[in-house]
Amino acid sequence: VQLQASGGGLVQPGGSLRLSCAVSQSTPIDHYAIGWFRQAPGKEREAVSGIMVSDGRTYYVDSVKGRFTISRDRAKQTAYLQMDNLKDEDTAVYYCATGFLGTWKNYSPKNYNELYWGQGTQVTVSS
């Protein structure tokens, strides 16, 4: 399974970015979820948001609720993360991953090795 993340960049506080994560069409992922994770310098990788490919259930870490919106295109096996009202603390490398994630409690580091990961995309929020 191959994932391609894109859409990062430099934005001022309060600005917006839209990340995309395309999963290779060669492997059906309808039973999977697609998650977005981020890792800031000196910090552990944390789960930001996730979406069930089959029914569209969504999950968010508390710090991004109301600012980030995750969505997916089932036919394209692509997930999107719309990030609005960005803050300095959102600066990080953002990664997408897919696998049998299930509910939010499974988006924990102990399960990271079970996931398929894409390359990261840098998001920098700075004035």
Side-chain angles (χ1 to χ4, degrees):
V1 179
Q2 294 183 326
L3 294 85
Q4 181 72 39
S6 61
L10 172 64
V11 64
Q12 293 185 342
S16 298
L17 283 174
R18 189 190 193 214
L19 305 183
S20 297
C21 176
V23 182
S24 56
Q25 293 282 341
S26 59
T27 303
I29 59 165
D30 211 53
H31 297 295
Y32 286 0
I34 300 176
W36 284 100
F37 302 76
R38 66 186 179 188
Q39 188 165 18
K43 294 188 177 181
E44 292 188 350
R45 189 171 299 188
E46 68 165 346
V48 175
S49 182
I51 186 165
M52 294 293 293
V53 174
S54 58
D55 63 11
R57 274 178 292 160
T58 59
Y59 304 96
Y60 300 93
V61 69
D62 286 346
S63 61
V64 308
K65 286 180 180 177
R67 301 188 298 120
F68 291 11
T69 304
I70 192 170
S71 60
R72 94 286 190 222
D73 184 322
R74 289 179 72 180
K76 294 182 179 179
Q77 297 201 151
T78 299
Y80 307 96
L81 187 67
Q82 177 67 39
M83 305 186 295
D84 297 319
N85 191 20
L86 282 160
K87 303 177 180 180
D88 291 350
E89 52 263 41
D90 295 317
T91 295
V93 178
Y94 283 70
Y95 300 88
C96 62
T98 191
F100 289 113
L101 280 162
T103 59
W104 185 241
K105 66 180 178 67
N106 294 324
Y107 286 69
S108 67
K110 67 177 181 177
N111 294 324
Y112 287 178
N113 287 339
E114 305 299 321
L115 306 178
Y116 300 97
W117 291 88
Q119 90 292 358
T121 185
Q122 177 71 46
V123 171
T124 303
V125 185
S126 175
S127 54

